[in-house]
Amino acid sequence: MPELLNILFSDASLVSYWRMEGNSNDSKGSNNGTDTSITYSVNNGVYGQGAGFGGSSKISIANVAALNPANISFVAWIRATSLGNTYNSIESFEDTADGHTLLIKSNGKLGVFLNGASAVSYDGTGANTLVTGVWYHLAFTYDGTTLRGYVNGVQDGSATGTWSNAAVDTDPFLLGDSHYASRTFTGEIDDAAIFNRALSAGEIYDLFQAGDTGGIFILQ
């Protein structure tokens, strides 16, 4: 995928951006990843290199509060080679009570959960059904009232409510795995990022369109 649009890379709300260009370093902040059984190659990426997950793989990022903001956006490109688990985790920063996670169910539907004393989620009720072997741009946003999930720049589903985003105990932020058993992801993840605000629908679409058209946007 091309880099994040200049205007968004320069946006103060961008907390972390993992480009997956040969490693899981954070190109925006200091939240570098630790890899377990990750392979990097151009075949694993939308544009440039991407990270390959083999089913027992994960990228683990140390627990910091900035990765669990009250208003949030998460974006990433993904391509599943298998959806063999009931839930297949794209990202997970949650314990049994608090945090956020984005998953693909075995039937290809998205599951997006904001856990807390007051929780918001939608689970398999979105418009899209994902299939293996295809790249998708996935995102979710929460603006303090509404949780929205996106597939390829278009809203997939939504839920309204108040999220009480209490601190996630000591668990790390994970890409391609979960703190719940049997939720590993098999496939590729590229250009993942977290913002501490809800991106607009137009901004989500711009991020999808940039990668879909193959344009190159230079980091500033």
Side-chain angles (χ1 to χ4, degrees):
M1 168 192 172
E3 315 302 353
L4 286 171
L5 296 170
N6 286 345
I7 190 171
L8 290 182
F9 185 83
S10 301
D11 194 310
S13 70
L14 177 57
V15 175
S16 291
Y17 173 30
W18 300 277
R19 296 175 59 202
M20 310 303 183
E21 292 297 325
N23 57 55
S24 56
N25 289 344
D26 179 359
S27 295
K28 179 65 175 184
S30 58
N31 298 308
N32 295 337
T34 299
D35 298 347
T36 300
S37 301
I38 301 295
T39 59
Y40 294 95
S41 73
V42 294
N43 292 327
N44 291 340
V46 173
Y47 192 89
Q49 296 188 55
F53 294 75
S56 59
S57 311
K58 63 182 176 182
I59 295 173
S60 178
I61 296 105
N63 185 312
V64 295
L67 297 175
N68 189 44
N71 291 355
I72 185 172
S73 298
F74 173 83
V75 301
W77 283 91
I78 71 92
R79 178 174 62 184
T81 55
S82 172
L83 294 173
N85 298 319
T86 302
Y87 289 97
N88 303 269
S89 178
I90 305 304
E91 68 90 21
S92 176
F93 193 27
E94 60 174 347
D95 54 30
T96 57
D98 303 299
H100 54 82
T101 186
L102 170 64
L103 313 113
I104 307 171
K105 303 183 72 171
S106 59
N107 63 1
K109 295 291 189 178
L110 292 189
V112 192
F113 295 86
L114 305 180
N115 297 321
S118 181
V120 187
S121 67
Y122 79 88
D123 183 12
T125 58
N128 292 274
T129 301
L130 280 59
V131 298
T132 58
V134 175
W135 280 105
Y136 296 97
H137 185 263
L138 302 185
F140 73 81
T141 68
Y142 180 71
D143 61 8
T145 302
T146 304
L147 168 66
R148 295 179 174 89
Y150 294 85
V151 175
N152 289 346
V154 177
Q155 185 170 304
D156 173 69
S158 65
T160 58
T162 301
W163 176 37
S164 300
N165 67 320
V168 178
D169 49 37
T170 59
D171 291 327
F173 172 67
L174 298 175
L175 294 170
D177 200 357
S178 171
H179 300 291
Y180 290 86
S182 302
R183 291 188 176 183
T184 55
F185 174 73
T186 302
E188 294 80 39
I189 298 176
D190 198 6
D191 287 72
I194 286 181
F195 296 78
N196 62 14
R197 68 177 176 91
L199 298 180
S200 69
E203 289 171 321
I204 296 293
Y205 183 78
D206 284 345
L207 289 175
F208 159 67
Q209 189 70 9
D212 190 52
T213 59
I216 300 175
F217 297 87
I218 304 302
L219 293 174
Q220 292 186 347

